[in-house]
Amino acid sequence: MRKVICVANQKGGVGKTTTAINLSASLAAAEKRTLLVDCDPQGNATSGTGIEKERVQHCNLYHALIGQIPPLDVILKTSIPLLDIIPSNQDLIGVEVEFVSLKEREKKLKTLFKNIDIDYDFIIIDCPPSLGFLTVNSLVASDCVIVPLQCEYFALEGLGQLLNTVKLVQSRLNPSLALAGILLTMFDTRNRISHRVAEEVKQYFGSNVFNTVIPRNVRLSESPSHGLSIIQYDINSRGAVAYMSFAREILANGRV
């Protein structure tokens, strides 16, 4: 049975899209059939997997959500075997306004997934950096949520708001939604702040923090500009090793 996981944090620059891309790629490398869903109008997960935005101008997540194109017709192959993607672009910006009067508009993405009959093991959703319509749709459609948290000053700022949103979705729209865990990202071993933040997060959230920690890594930040996952760009880098370790933890994690 496939698992739907959304990667969410309303703060930008925390490694959310990096995590969505590289977790998806690592799961696919582990021979798990995976679908990456770019639910961010910025389309960074799309370009980060080597899909040119011009190619998806008239065929992306927006067109599937509004019913203009069948969901199966917007799925594209990536350069990684077993990894497909539903791409996005700026078209998604207007979807909230277009759906404002629709009943059960928070379940549009969940309904879309029901109409995808491909036997995926995992669907990974890259959420936008906000707690708006698209993120709520992603939470409603998901079995669990991964929260990337950067090991920097003000890291915990806004986290309470996100967790409250998760609780609201659990109580009103998706009672089976679970917190898969908090993923510490951008960890710099030379920086005292990184160590302090990691200690505080683990002390406060305990077992809800993943064992894997994603390091700050130049190769990891370079790979999206080449349209490649880190395991394609530099499989020997610390970033690649960390995300492959994270995928193994996900596969062994009873909460996912």
Side-chain angles (χ1 to χ4, degrees):
M1 186 174 70
R2 71 186 180 195
K3 288 288 184 179
V4 183
I5 304 172
C6 68
V7 183
N9 192 324
Q10 76 270 30
K11 290 186 69 177
V14 300
K16 178 179 55 59
T17 299
T18 298
T19 294
I21 291 173
N22 292 301
L23 172 59
S24 298
S26 298
L27 289 170
E31 299 186 344
K32 300 297 180 181
R33 190 161 191 182
T34 306
L35 175 65
L36 174 60
V37 181
D38 190 347
C39 208
D40 187 345
Q42 295 179 83
N44 290 333
T46 299
S47 59
T49 50
I51 306 295
E52 296 180 359
K53 292 184 180 180
E54 294 76 14
R55 182 181 171 191
V56 304
Q57 190 170 358
H58 304 292
C59 185
N60 57 61
L61 178 59
Y62 168 78
H63 300 97
L65 284 174
I66 66 172
Q68 184 176 326
I69 297 176
L72 288 175
D73 291 351
V74 300
I75 296 175
L76 298 178
K77 300 282 185 187
T78 71
S79 57
I80 300 174
L82 300 182
L83 177 59
D84 297 341
I85 185 170
I86 294 182
S88 288
N89 64 10
Q90 68 276 4
D91 291 343
L92 267 182
I93 294 172
V95 76
E96 183 171 2
V97 176
E98 294 183 41
F99 288 165
V100 70
S101 61
L102 289 183
K103 290 183 178 180
E104 297 193 321
R105 66 194 190 110
E106 296 88 357
K107 298 181 180 180
K108 294 293 290 184
L109 191 61
K110 183 175 183 178
T111 301
L112 186 148
F113 290 162
K114 286 181 179 178
N115 292 323
I116 296 176
D117 58 6
I118 298 175
D119 190 22
Y120 289 110
D121 297 300
F122 289 94
I123 296 178
I124 309 295
I125 309 171
D126 182 31
C127 296
S130 70
L131 294 179
F133 171 79
L134 291 168
T135 296
V136 171
N137 253 267
S138 299
L139 292 169
V140 172
S142 297
D143 297 304
C144 57
V145 54
I146 292 171
V147 182
L149 192 71
Q150 80 279 30
C151 294
E152 296 177 356
Y153 199 60
F154 293 136
L156 297 176
E157 190 179 69
L159 182 59
Q161 187 180 359
L162 172 60
L163 296 179
N164 283 337
T165 300
V166 170
K167 289 178 182 178
L168 282 172
V169 171
Q170 287 172 327
S171 64
R172 300 180 184 181
L173 296 166
N174 183 7
S176 63
L177 178 66
L179 175 64
I182 295 169
L183 175 67
L184 295 172
T185 62
M186 302 180 183
F187 184 85
D188 188 342
T189 57
R190 302 163 298 177
N191 191 325
R192 187 177 299 176
I193 290 291
S194 285
H195 291 277
R196 186 179 302 168
V197 169
E199 289 171 7
E200 289 181 1
V201 172
K202 289 177 181 178
Q203 184 176 7
Y204 189 80
F205 291 101
S207 61
N208 284 322
V209 182
F210 287 105
N211 294 323
T212 304
V213 176
I214 307 300
R216 186 176 289 281
N217 179 240
V218 172
R219 304 295 277 175
L220 194 56
S221 61
E222 288 175 348
S223 59
S225 65
H226 297 272
L228 297 171
S229 69
I230 188 59
I231 63 173
Q232 294 170 292
Y233 186 63
D234 188 350
I235 197 168
N236 296 313
S237 67
R238 291 187 302 124
V241 170
Y243 274 111
M244 287 188 289
S245 174
F246 184 46
R248 286 193 294 271
E249 186 172 358
I250 288 291
L251 292 171
N253 193 330
R255 290 173 296 179
V256 177

